[in-house]
Structures are given as C-alpha cells and as structure tokens.
Amino acid sequence: MNKIRHLTILGSTGSIGESTLDVVNRHPDLFNVIALTANNNTDKMLAQCIQFRPRFAVMLDADQAGRLARAIDQTELDTIVLSGIESLEKVASMSDVDVVMAAIVGAAGIRPAFAAARAGKLILLANKETLVMAGRIFMDKVKQHGATLLPIDSEHNAIHQSLPHDFDGNLPGKGIRRILLTASGGPFRSASLDSLAHVTPEQACAHPNWDMGRKISVDSATMMNKGLEVIEAHWLFNAAPENIQVVIHPQSVIHSMVEYIDGSVLAQLGNPDMRTPVAHAMGYPKRIESGVSSLNMFDVAHLNFEKPDFERFPCLRLAYRALEMGDNMPAVLNAANEVAVETFLEEKMPFTAIPAMIEHVMNISERETMHSLNDVLKVDSAARDAARDWLGTFRQTA
Ligand code: NAD
Ligand code: MG
C-alpha cells in the first residue's frame, strides 16, 4: 500500500467507528478521512470533525444536522454538513472515496452498504446485518460491480487470515474441512436458567471480554450474535451450515479457526480489541500498527472450549434454522431480533421473550424468494410489524 487511502466511515461515533478513527490517528500518512456519519450524537460528531477535518459530516437526523452545521460555523472548518439516508448513500459511493468502513448498527446500514457495493468500493464490513438480510443479493452486487469485501467482525477477520491467500470461495477445493467459529458465551454462559427471566439491560450489556455497542452486546448475551455470524460466514466464505461449528471459548483469545483435511487447524489469536481486525483490513495486505498490546500467554494461561447449549441459547438454534430455510428467513430473523432487542433495552419485555418473539415471527412469515434490495426492505418492514403485533398480545397476557 503506497498511496493514501481516502475513507468514509459510516457510524463513526459508534464503538467500531471510534476504533477506526483511533487507527487512522496513528497513520496520518496512510489515511485521509473524507466523510464521517452518525445517527444523532452531534457532540461526538463535532469533536470528531474538529480532530479529523472531514470534507463531509452526515447526521441521519435533520435537526441534529442543523445543530452540527451551526456549531461548525463557529469554527474555521469547511466541513459540509448533510442529512438523511440519501446523503449516507452519497458519501458511501462518491468517486473520491476508496474505502468505506460500514459500521452502522443494524438494518439501517444496508442502504449505504449497497451504495458502496454498486460504486465498486473496498468495503470494510462490520455491519453483519447487511449480509444476514441480503446475503446472496449483496454478494452478487459486490461481484457485479468489482467491489471488494474485507470482514471486520473479529471472527470473520480471523477466518480470512487463516484461509489461503488465494481463497476463491471453494472450501473443499482448498482442502478445507470446516470453520470453527469461536464465541465467548457472553455474560450468562453459566448463569442459572431460571435467573435469565430477570436479567436487566445493564447486566446483558456487561460483556465479559469486549466493549461494544448495546445492540451487539445484547446479541452476545442471547448468542444471536453468533447466529448472525454463522449466516455471515456462510455468505463470506461459501460455507455450508453443517461445516460451520460454533465453539464456546470463554477467554476470547482465539478469534476463530480453519480446519484443513490433513488435520491442521489454523487460528488467529490476540487480545480482544477490535483495533486488530480494523487495522488488518485498513492496511490490507500490509500490516500496520493498531495500538493493541502484545498477547501475554502467561497471563492467559488457559484456553477452554465448550459445546454451545441450544436450550440456554435458543437464538442460536433459530439462526441455524433460518439459514437452513434460506430465502427471506434470515431477513425475518434479523428484523424480529432488532425489534426484540430494542424492546428489551426499553425494559418493555423480559430477556427470555427475545427468542419467543423471533420464533413467533419466523413461524407466521411466508417463505418467499427475494430478488432486490427493495424486496429485502419489504420483508424487513413486514417482520417488524409482526414482531410489534406479537408484543401487543404478549403484554396483554403477561
Ligand atoms: P454502536 O451502537 O456503538 O454504533 C453504531 C453507529 O451507527 C453509531 O455511529 C450510530 O450513530 C450509527 N447509527 C445508529 N443507528 C443509525 C441509523 N438509523 N442510521 C445511521 N446511522 C446509525 O455499534 P457498534 O458496536 O460499533 O456496531 C456497529 C456494527 O459493527 C454492528 O453491525 C455490529 O454488529 C458490528 N460489530 C461490532 C463489534 C464491536 O466490537 N462493537 C464487533 C463486531 C461487529
Ligand atoms: Mg464477532
């Protein structure tokens, strides 16, 4: 990598967004920030604009964009402030941007990710929901427009690092038997099953190893996160569901593994800090400093492994089921999960209602084949309505 990379960071005020800017800050000679985007955190966005001087700052929310524009007027910055989903698509596809970090959380990230794919960008994909909702359609768009995908999710980044450099989407052809996707098991790995009905959002968001946004933290507590990652691995690496084995590994030191037919198992290890996969993808194929400290094996001392328990983690079972059913089912699963997590975080239903809501929505949703992003958005919206309807009846009977 010799020329400077021009960057759009979608979701710059989030956990992955901040890790990305931390890596950018270490390499002013390698990266130039063209655009930053956020939902509504204007104060953080203003601080990021002052530090990184982007050409564009996009707030999804128009009122917040107005606030930001007025604040920027008080500085000597010439950052242009925009708002709305079309502006997110614009900064993800502009001709002077080479690299798009897709780090918006949830289904909200799908339209800008598609815009980046259509514009043939190098996409650093943290927003796993795009692949879960629209796997085949998104992968086809990437191929059709000559875009490149590099995974930011630590597991998929580890798998990418453990695959042969010339991996072409043919696992058996490269002598690969299966993928071992590691999972920490989250904060409730060994809590009593009875106690799960009473856990609070704060307990669910207190992940033992990773510091992340609230939605993915709850997903880690239900292990839906691992379920979404199984679907993500299926699309990224063309792996059949039966060749993706989830392995609970509470220390989160091995970030995932690839097993070859000769019995070799290649793994990527490191401290649980997202700046490692972020720096790996940002510098790719060159290795660059990330600020992550050396892994101290003597402090780690033990690496443990367990089989996942589908009774404790019904969301993981539902995700495998959605992947096996195919068509619109992963999009239905994702939409119902987003409503379920939001509702739990608002303390309007218990933690244990999350899988119940998702299973209900999957059971009542008709199977259909999706052909376009528009089809995906319609499935997403119908599944959200079905989840809210279920909540109405659940709250009456609870
Ligand atoms: P976060 O909640 O910390 O940040 C989300 C970002 O998206 C923020 O900048 C927010 O302003 C923006 N955003 C939220 N809603 C939006 C909307 N409707 N429209 C536009 N922008 C919106 O989330 P995060 O933990 O950084 O996760 C981001 C993505 O990366 C998720 O898809 C998550 O699954 C994935 N991921 C995160 C981690 C991690 O360690 N945090 C690890 C692996 C994968
Ligand atoms: Mg992950």
Side-chain angles (χ1 to χ4, degrees):
M1 187 172 75
N2 15 21
K3 80 173 177 64
I4 199 157
R5 285 183 163 175
H6 300 282
L7 211 60
T8 281
I9 305 176
L10 301 168
S12 65
T13 56
S15 161
I16 296 288
E18 291 199 300
S19 292
T20 306
L21 285 172
D22 186 281
V23 173
V24 167
N25 198 32
R26 291 166 196 278
H27 301 281
D29 51 327
L30 296 181
F31 305 109
N32 171 35
V33 178
I34 303 274
L36 297 176
T37 86
N39 186 20
N40 55 17
N41 190 341
T42 309
D43 296 340
K44 199 182 267 186
M45 178 57 93
L46 178 63
Q48 291 183 343
C49 287
I50 291 169
Q51 186 176 0
F52 293 96
R53 314 181 74 84
R55 193 151 3 117
F56 296 95
V58 185
M59 303 301 294
L60 181 70
D61 185 278
D63 291 343
Q64 295 300 327
R67 263 193 69 206
L68 180 67
R70 288 190 291 281
I72 286 197
D73 271 348
Q74 307 298 308
T75 69
E76 35 58 78
L77 291 174
D78 47 17
T79 301
I80 298 166
V81 179
L82 303 171
S83 72
I85 180 78
E86 290 77 16
S87 301
L88 292 176
E89 292 174 321
K90 173 187 155 135
V91 297
S93 57
M94 286 181 318
S95 61
D96 31 12
V97 167
D98 315 306
V99 183
V100 175
M101 168 59 80
I104 291 174
V105 61
I110 196 171
R111 282 181 53 181
F114 265 78
R118 283 193 298 267
K121 301 300 182 199
L122 169 56
I123 305 170
L124 314 186
L125 190 71
N127 179 255
K128 65 191 87 184
E129 293 89 349
T130 289
L131 276 178
V132 173
M133 295 168 72
R136 184 182 308 284
I137 300 167
F138 185 67
M139 293 305 283
D140 285 350
K141 278 276 171 281
V142 165
K143 210 178 279 167
Q144 186 188 339
H145 297 279
T148 307
L149 268 189
L150 287 175
I152 294 298
D153 216 340
S154 58
E155 296 76 4
H156 306 74
N157 185 270
I159 294 162
H160 175 78
Q161 294 197 45
S162 306
L163 285 169
H165 290 300
D166 59 350
F167 179 63
D168 53 359
N170 181 354
L171 291 171
K174 292 290 176 198
I176 293 157
R177 193 180 277 151
R178 59 180 182 153
I179 284 172
L180 300 161
L181 194 66
T182 54
S184 69
F188 308 133
R189 181 175 57 89
S190 46
S192 79
L193 286 183
D194 294 342
S195 67
L196 294 183
H198 309 291
V199 304
T200 63
E202 275 52 50
Q203 288 168 324
C205 289
H207 196 278
N209 308 332
W210 297 96
D211 181 11
M212 310 179 287
R214 280 165 78 79
K215 191 261 176 182
I216 184 176
S217 296
V218 176
D219 284 348
S220 299
T222 60
M223 280 195 78
M224 178 56 92
N225 183 49
K226 210 49 52 180
L228 301 179
E229 290 184 357
V230 168
I231 301 172
E232 183 185 9
H234 166 74
W235 291 113
L236 283 175
F237 309 118
N238 195 21
E242 61 275 18
N243 294 334
I244 306 171
Q245 172 68 55
V246 173
V247 178
I248 297 202
H249 163 48
Q251 292 87 0
S252 299
V253 165
I254 298 180
H255 299 308
S256 278
M257 301 172 260
V258 174
E259 181 183 319
Y260 291 78
I261 49 175
D262 60 5
S264 300
V265 177
L266 300 194
Q268 185 259 1
L269 287 72
N271 285 319
D273 185 324
M274 288 306 292
R275 290 176 302 174
T276 295
V278 165
H280 172 264
M282 299 233 316
Y284 191 79
K286 202 176 147 200
R287 296 278 177 174
I288 60 172
E289 282 277 356
S290 66
V292 176
S293 56
S294 286
L295 178 65
N296 187 326
M297 289 292 194
F298 306 114
D299 285 349
V300 174
H302 302 283
L303 298 176
N304 296 73
F305 306 99
E306 294 165 15
K307 255 194 175 156
D309 172 351
F310 286 92
E311 194 195 337
R312 176 180 293 275
F313 297 115
C315 285
L316 186 56
R317 172 176 56 76
L318 292 172
Y320 267 106
R321 191 202 293 170
L323 177 58
E324 273 150 16
M325 291 175 79
D327 286 334
N328 55 334
M329 274 304 145
V332 168
L333 170 99
N334 182 70
N337 180 56
E338 288 192 22
V339 175
V341 171
E342 257 167 52
T343 313
F344 165 69
L345 284 173
E346 290 164 359
E347 301 190 62
K348 292 184 183 151
M349 72 179 200
F351 183 75
T352 41
I354 295 174
M357 178 187 271
I358 299 165
E359 185 153 24
H360 167 80
V361 176
M362 285 176 70
N363 285 344
I364 63 157
S365 297
E366 301 270 341
R367 291 276 290 276
E368 59 180 270
T369 304
M370 306 180 301
H371 300 284
S372 64
L373 174 57
N374 235 354
D375 290 350
V376 178
L377 296 174
K378 279 189 199 143
V379 165
D380 176 74
S381 152
R384 282 168 198 268
D385 289 344
R388 290 189 199 103
D389 289 348
W390 179 87
L391 181 65
T393 43
F394 171 80
R395 294 184 74 186
Q396 274 166 18
T397 53

